[in-house]
Structures are given as C-alpha cells and as structure tokens.
Amino acid sequence: MILRNYNYGIMGKGIKQDLLNHPELLEQNATLAFEAAIWRWMTPMKRKQPSAHDAFVGNWKPTKKDTLSKRYPGFGATMNILYGDAICGKGSIDNMNGIISHYQHYLDLMGVGAQHSGDNLDCADQVPFNPSSKSPDS
C-alpha cells in the first residue's frame, strides 16, 4: 500500500491513533497495522466514491463520469482507489502489472485460479479517482 502523509492522517483519525506523527506504530503493532489496513480497504476516501472493497466485490455502480473516465467495477478500480495515479492512467506499466501478477498468484495459491481474475483487471487507461496533484480541470 502506498502511504502518503495524508493517508497516515486520515487513517489515524479513522482508527483513533496519531499515525501522522507516529507512523512507526503500524510497524511496531501488528494489530494496529491490520486495523489500519481493514479501515483503508472498507472506507471511501471521498464522498461519492467507492471503497476498495465495494469496487472489488461489485457493490459499486459507476456513474456516467466514472464510465467516461474508464472506471468500471473490478480489480482495476480497486487498484485505482488504493494507488491512484501512482500506477493508474499510465498505460501498461511494470508496477501495475506486478500488482496484477501478485493478485493472480494468490488466486492460484487459494485454489481459485488466475483465470477467475474477473473483468476490468487493470487500470492502465483509467482516470485516477484521487490524483496526487490537482489539475487545472479539477
């Protein structure tokens, strides 16, 4: 998971810990690390956006803006929510493909099979939900 300062702040507030000033708590306390990861997985970062969980399991229904931004339910949208423009909207880059490869590897290990990865597996052409810098259009 890519964590920027604002992620530590918002996750810390969500789990009632001062992660912004003490991010080492996640490294030192496995329970807090798990709590922060689950909080991030289940919580939308902005209003009217899905959580990673909802995009992954198909609970999220894309708006017209989402479909125009090439965002559809599936693993690709999940990566978009978790990683944003660090890997999405940049074409078929190694970092994105590595995450997909790990996902499929774990599907195989669990006996599900990589062939059941689902539709919309990548985020190569998706407009990021939360760009790391504001464009003049946003």
Side-chain angles (χ1 to χ4, degrees), residues 4-68:
R4 297 180 178 99
N5 283 346
Y6 63 84
N7 285 335
Y8 284 110
I10 196 168
M11 278 194 311
K13 187 175 180 180
I15 65 169
K16 297 176 177 48
Q17 297 290 326
D18 185 7
L19 298 179
L20 189 58
N21 293 307
H22 299 285
E24 72 277 2
L25 292 173
L26 297 180
E27 183 179 45
Q28 297 167 353
N29 185 318
T31 302
L32 283 180
F34 184 77
E35 188 177 349
I38 292 298
W39 184 88
R40 178 66 177 97
W41 178 254
M42 298 301 292
T43 306
M45 292 296 99
K46 291 186 179 175
R47 294 182 89 195
K48 298 184 181 181
Q49 286 184 359
S51 66
H53 175 78
D54 284 342
F56 186 77
V57 301
N59 290 342
W60 166 62
K61 303 299 180 231
T63 65
K64 183 176 182 177
K65 180 180 178 181
D66 290 318
T67 57
L68 290 172

